[in-house]
């Protein structure tokens, strides 16, 4: 997820309920603690591979 005016930073912050250290919060996506989480992909002007189902986003991996 990119925030307008901020560059995406690649690190291990990810999606979690508890806030990571301040240095990793730029890309952090808060998730509900102790309940289900649903992830959506939003595509603007998608290429044919996304529309016809030949491309799939990478699987979400649990990191503990």
């Amino acid at each position: 997820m990119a925030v307008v005016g901020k560059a995406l930073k690649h690190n291990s912050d990810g999606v979690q309920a508890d806030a990571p250290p301040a240095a990793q919060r730029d890309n952090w996506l808060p998730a509900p603690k102790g309940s289900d989480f649903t992830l959506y992909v939003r595509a603007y002007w998608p290429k044919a591979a996304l529309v016809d189902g030949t491309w799939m986003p990478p699987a979400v991996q649990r990191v503990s």
Side-chain angles (χ1 to χ4, degrees):
M1 180 170 126
V3 177
V4 175
K6 290 184 122 183
L8 181 64
K9 294 181 182 178
H10 295 275
N11 54 31
S12 62
D13 49 353
V15 178
Q16 60 193 40
D18 299 321
Q24 295 180 325
R25 289 188 190 161
D26 287 341
N27 301 334
W28 172 51
L29 298 173
K33 188 175 248 180
S35 63
D36 291 339
F37 174 77
T38 303
L39 182 66
Y40 293 91
V41 173
R42 187 179 294 182
Y44 298 95
W45 299 105
K47 294 184 179 180
L50 178 68
V51 176
D52 68 18
T54 57
W55 179 86
M56 295 295 288
V60 175
Q61 298 176 357
R62 179 180 288 267
V63 178
S64 23

